[in-house]
Amino acid sequence: MSTFARVARVVNTAVTPLLSAPVVGPALRKSMTEIGYTGRKSGKHFTLPVAFRRQDDGTILVGVAAASQKTWWRNFQPGPTPITIKLDGEVRTGTGVAKVGEKGTSVVITLDEA
């Protein structure tokens, strides 16, 4: 495991409980949440905290910083791939597709109808 992966694991472990904390949680949840997905090769279920943005068309955009050093987003190629995301206090389901472009890498999440 690379140094980057070790640091990311520590940060994710620290951030995840903060999303539920009574004082800082509400502020963090405006731009951060947890996603869940199944690894395409391992078949294991993973959850991780991510920063997100709601798009005008109703999709959710998750930017992938340092994408060349991360592998999780590759589970959404070619996509669409099932995903869960916590939004507004509830777990929603949908599909994710990884997009690699000039502005970087992102996972675009389309939510299932509520």
Side-chain angles (χ1 to χ4, degrees), residues 81-109:
T81 302
I83 191 170
T84 59
I85 183 169
K86 279 189 184 178
L87 291 174
D88 305 322
E90 67 179 64
V91 176
R92 303 276 308 272
T93 60
T95 55
V97 176
K99 304 281 186 179
V100 180
E102 291 178 11
K103 295 183 180 181
T105 302
S106 59
V107 174
V108 178
I109 300 170

Side-chain angles (χ1 to χ4, degrees), residues 14-29 34 86:
V15 169
T16 300
L18 291 177
L19 290 169
S20 308
V23 177
V24 296
L28 283 176
R29 287 191 301 268
E34 282 182 273
K86 279 189 184 178

Side-chain angles (χ1 to χ4, degrees), residues 13-55:
T13 301
V15 169
T16 300
L18 291 177
L19 290 169
S20 308
V23 177
V24 296
L28 283 176
R29 287 191 301 268
K30 290 179 183 178
S31 63
M32 292 192 74
T33 190
E34 282 182 273
I35 61 169
Y37 62 94
T38 300
R40 67 175 192 245
K41 291 181 181 178
S42 69
K44 293 180 184 177
H45 184 74
F46 298 94
T47 60
L48 67 142
V50 295
F52 75 96
R53 248 186 8 238
R54 295 175 195 246
Q55 303 294 99

